[in-house]
């Protein structure tokens, strides 16, 4: 990236001069909270741009992950590379994945799921459970 783009990028990052603080993106963000920065007219994740500025090109298929788990953070030492599997495992280990009753499209409560599993283990047929709880078999 040319010097003007680099200067424009870092002007949008709140750099804090201590050992561990996040460097937060201060400009526009994607709707999921990651900083957004346009390079050649294409929106990029600000954390990805920060990684590339510090370390070079991101290999194809790689994600840029946050050690700090702060989406607008652009501090290069808080970032690391991984593939989609590593990204998913990282999310799971940090309990960031939305699942169960926290999913906005969930049709069952946690108690209902426990009840369905109990009934199924006791031998109740899936067809009966589907009808009783008003859900699809899958």
């Amino acid at each position: 990236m040319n010097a003007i783009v680099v200067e424009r990028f870092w002007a949008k990052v709140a750099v804090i001069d201590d050992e561990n603080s996040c460097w937060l993106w201060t400009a526009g963000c994607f709707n999921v909270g990651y900083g957004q920065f346009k390079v050649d007219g294409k929106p990029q994740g600000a954390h990805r741009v920060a990684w590339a500025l510090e370390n070079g090109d991101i290999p194809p298929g790689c994600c840029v992950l946050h050690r700090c788990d702060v989406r607008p953070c652009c501090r290069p030492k808080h970032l690391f590379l991984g593939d989609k599997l590593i990204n998913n495992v990282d999310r799971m280990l940090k309990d960031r994945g939305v699942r169960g009753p926290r999913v906005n499209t969930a049709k069952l409560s946690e108690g209902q799921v426990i009840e369905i599993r109990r009934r199924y283990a006791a031998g109740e047929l899936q067809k009966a459970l589907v009808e009783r709880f008003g859900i699809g078999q899958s």
Side-chain angles (χ1 to χ4, degrees), residues 8-27:
R8 187 169 58 90
F9 176 82
W10 289 114
K12 299 174 187 293
V13 178
V15 176
I16 298 172
D17 287 334
D18 73 30
E19 286 291 312
N20 298 308
S21 292
C22 292
W23 295 355
L24 299 179
W25 183 251
T26 62

Side-chain angles (χ1 to χ4, degrees), residues 107-108 113 116-117 126-127 129-131 134-138:
K107 295 179 180 168
L108 300 169
V113 171
I116 289 169
R117 288 179 178 168
Q126 287 183 7
K127 184 175 181 181
L129 293 168
V130 163
E131 290 172 9
I135 55 174
Q137 188 172 358
S138 62

Side-chain angles (χ1 to χ4, degrees), residues 93-114:
L93 291 174
K94 293 175 178 174
D95 197 28
R96 283 188 284 112
V98 178
R99 63 182 187 277
R102 296 186 318 190
V103 175
N104 63 358
T105 57
K107 295 179 180 168
L108 300 169
S109 69
E110 188 174 355
Q112 288 172 311
V113 171
I114 291 168

Side-chain angles (χ1 to χ4, degrees), residues 41-71:
K42 297 176 188 169
Q44 307 287 323
H47 63 296
R48 292 180 61 85
V49 175
W51 171 271
L53 290 174
E54 184 75 13
N55 301 292
D57 291 339
I58 299 167
C62 279
C63 303
V64 178
L65 293 78
H66 289 86
R67 285 187 176 87
C68 59
D69 215 27
V70 177
R71 290 180 179 186

